[in-house]
Every structure is written in C-alpha cells, then in structure tokens.
Amino acid sequence: MLILLLLAAFCAFPQEVEIHAPWLTVYDPQGRPRWEISLERLYKTESGWEGEGVEVRLYWEGELEFSLRAERLTADRLGRVWTITGDISGEAGGLALSCREAVWSDGLTLTELLLAGADLRLSTASAHWAQGEEVLLTEVVAESRGWEVTLATATYLLDSGILDGKEAVIRGHGYEIRAAEARLFTREGGLQLREAQVVPHP
C-alpha cells in the first residue's frame, strides 16, 4: 500500500521514483537523484505517515546540497509534504547545520536555522531553499573574524558561501557600520558595503 501511495504522489511529475522500504529515492528526468529519505521505522496514521530515525538528502543536478538527520518525520498521505522534528542536525554547503523544524513543500523551509564552520556562525529565524535557487533568509546574524553582521533579509549561495543582505549593521573591532546592502564572502573573509556609514562603537 505504501508503495502505491508514494508512486501516486509522483506519477504526475517528469521523474522516477525508486522505493526500497523504508527508503525512498526520487530522480530528475536526467536520472540524477533529487532527494532521498531513509527511515528506521515507518507507521501509517489516519492523516498520513509517521517515521522515526530519519535521514534526508536533497540534491540539485546530482550534487548534494542538504543532508538532515532527525528523530521524527510526519507526511501527508501522498508524501508531497513532510515535516521533520526532534534534534535536527546535518550539513549544507560545507557547514554544520541545526534547526528546530524542517518542512518540505515545493522547497525546503528551515526554522531557527544555525550554520557553523571554522570562521562562520550564521543564525536566522527562517530559511527557504527551492532546488536550483539560493537560500532565502530572514532575521540573519552572521559572526566571522571578529565581526557581527545583522541583516533584515539575505540570500546565501551554498556553492560559493556568499551572503547578500539588506539593512545591514556590522559591529566589531571598535566600530559600528550601517549599510543599505552588504555582501559577505564567508570563505575568503571579505566584505562589500553599499551606502555605508561608519561610527565609533565602544
């Protein structure tokens, strides 16, 4: 029954589905994986499905973009919308990831996301990623090399590590900088500002 329901969920799309319970892999028209879900346990409920011991991998053009591990998954009857909760961890763009909740519905939405690497700590109220697009962020705080950058909204490119944002406030090394726009090169440590004003900051 599970196989029939999952197949029905994807039959309208130009992709292939491969199921080895409790494992689901969805491919794009070129035969490259789009996303994979593995579960230690899967249960049918009145509203859909529940799973435990979850691992999710999301790809774009065959390249791994996000990997997520969590305690629980809930999904609708057709598997088109799913939510994972409970000690979520993983990786994205070479950075360690944690968040409160992850929802897939025509794209991935992460709530209270934290990304961390050797020279970067990035926290955001929410993040949204559709396959092939940049990550859209709200209420962003990025800490790198003694600077703290606060942004109202921003985009983040997983492949290059570039953070672009608006309404920027940058603090560190005795200064406060306010700018209409900011671009942070998180891997190189560079920063570009537009319409910036610098004021002493204790």
Side-chain angles (χ1 to χ4, degrees):
M1 184 65 175
L2 169 61
I3 292 176
L4 293 176
L5 286 171
L6 290 172
L7 285 174
F10 302 105
C11 66
F13 299 95
Q15 57 193 3
E16 294 182 4
V17 179
E18 190 173 299
I19 300 171
H20 302 283
W23 185 284
L24 171 66
T25 303
V26 176
Y27 296 91
D28 67 16
Q30 288 73 40
R32 300 169 299 198
R34 288 190 63 203
W35 49 272
E36 300 173 323
I37 295 179
S38 62
L39 303 162
E40 293 178 2
R41 297 176 187 84
L42 181 66
Y43 310 94
K44 188 178 184 303
T45 67
E46 292 183 1
S47 58
W49 305 93
E50 292 184 3
E52 298 176 356
V54 184
E55 187 166 354
V56 176
R57 285 172 292 281
L58 303 173
Y59 299 84
W60 174 246
E61 295 184 343
E63 298 295 324
L64 180 63
E65 299 283 90
F66 284 88
S67 63
L68 304 169
R69 296 174 294 276
E71 295 176 358
R72 294 178 298 278
L73 175 143
T74 58
D76 63 1
R77 288 189 177 92
L78 297 180
R80 292 177 177 170
V81 178
W82 47 258
T83 300
I84 60 174
T85 54
D87 293 330
I88 301 173
S89 62
E91 295 83 33
L95 300 172
L97 173 159
S98 63
C99 65
R100 183 173 62 82
E101 181 183 76
V103 178
W104 176 268
S105 179
D106 294 325
L108 179 68
T109 299
L110 305 170
T111 304
E112 296 178 14
L113 170 66
L114 174 63
L115 294 171
D119 295 313
L120 176 68
R121 177 184 171 88
L122 190 154
S123 61
T124 177
S126 66
H128 181 77
W129 175 77
Q131 288 171 311
E133 298 181 5
E134 56 205 6
V135 184
L136 306 178
L137 309 172
T138 61
E139 299 179 30
V140 184
V141 178
E143 300 172 51
S144 180
R145 304 173 192 250
W147 294 98
E148 179 185 272
V149 182
T150 303
L151 302 161
T153 60
T155 60
Y156 184 71
L157 296 174
L158 292 170
D159 57 349
S160 65
I162 295 176
L163 179 69
D164 271 312
K166 298 182 182 298
E167 301 177 36
V169 178
I170 301 98
R171 296 186 178 95
H173 305 284
Y175 289 93
E176 176 175 302
I177 305 169
R178 294 180 178 269
E181 298 178 5
R183 171 173 287 187
L184 179 62
F185 299 87
T186 63
R187 295 174 187 169
E188 298 84 0
L191 179 65
Q192 291 180 351
L193 302 175
R194 181 174 173 272
E195 298 181 18
Q197 294 180 334
V198 181
V199 295
H201 183 70

